[in-house]
Amino acid sequence: MDPFLQAAIDEARQGMKEGGIPIGSVIVHGGRILGRGHNRRVQKGSTVLHGEMDAFENAGRQPAKVYRECVLYTTLSPCPMCSGAILLYGIPKIIVGENKTFMGDEELLRSRGVNVEVVQDATCIALMREFIATRPELWNEDIGV
């Protein structure tokens, strides 16, 4: 298992333990985690704290050059908001845990030159399938349905 994807999965599990949505993300620069986060919309009463957005927030203010050298790992295909942040900050590569339970804006990212690698990790898929089955109303809220 890729240690950075495992770190994103650990974040997703933490989010679920907190009563939130099990999606996690880490931003890696030069072989170390610059920022990590998990979906905290429920916990913080936030409209924007998806896993990727939380990781960006926790990475803090960085020069554009740094973000252009990063890899973002996320347990789930990124939604339009998170894809926009990936494009805005020039992240060149993302590793997606899975896109079977939700297909985000991967084609937009690819069309803008982002290297998108989807690994279909069994743990990521199982976390989301269980969550969607038990909390469909919260999941629908999170994706704007």
Side-chain angles (χ1 to χ4, degrees):
M1 164 70 69
D2 181 311
F4 298 123
L5 182 57
Q6 184 60 57
I9 290 168
D10 293 344
E11 286 291 325
R13 286 185 171 135
Q14 180 63 35
M16 192 159 58
K17 280 184 201 165
E18 295 169 0
I21 299 163
I23 303 168
S25 182
V26 297
I27 300 170
V28 176
H29 181 260
R32 71 175 187 83
I33 295 175
L34 183 67
R36 60 190 311 140
H38 53 273
N39 187 307
R40 294 190 305 151
R41 288 185 68 250
V42 172
Q43 301 91 313
K44 295 285 188 180
S46 170
T47 58
V48 297
L49 280 181
H50 281 188
E52 299 91 336
M53 301 301 280
D54 194 39
F56 275 117
E57 182 69 16
N58 291 326
R61 187 173 164 203
Q62 301 292 328
K65 177 186 182 307
V66 170
Y67 283 123
R68 288 193 300 264
E69 297 170 347
C70 287
V71 178
L72 183 143
Y73 289 75
T74 182
T75 58
L76 186 65
S77 185
C79 76
M81 174 179 66
C82 297
S83 294
I86 289 164
L87 293 173
L88 178 66
Y89 291 108
I91 302 289
K93 181 176 183 176
I94 67 170
I95 307 295
V96 177
E98 67 104 349
N99 64 8
K100 289 185 180 294
T101 61
F102 176 78
M103 175 58 77
D105 274 359
E106 294 173 21
E107 287 310 311
L108 171 65
L109 291 167
R110 286 185 181 103
S111 77
R112 298 280 297 275
V114 177
N115 178 355
V116 178
E117 182 181 323
V118 182
V119 297
Q120 302 302 11
D121 179 80
T123 301
C124 294
I125 295 167
L127 276 170
M128 284 310 298
R129 283 191 174 150
E130 177 186 341
F131 176 77
I132 292 167
T134 59
R135 302 290 307 274
E137 73 293 339
L138 185 55
W139 172 239
N140 287 338
E141 174 193 320
D142 194 64
I143 58 171
V145 173

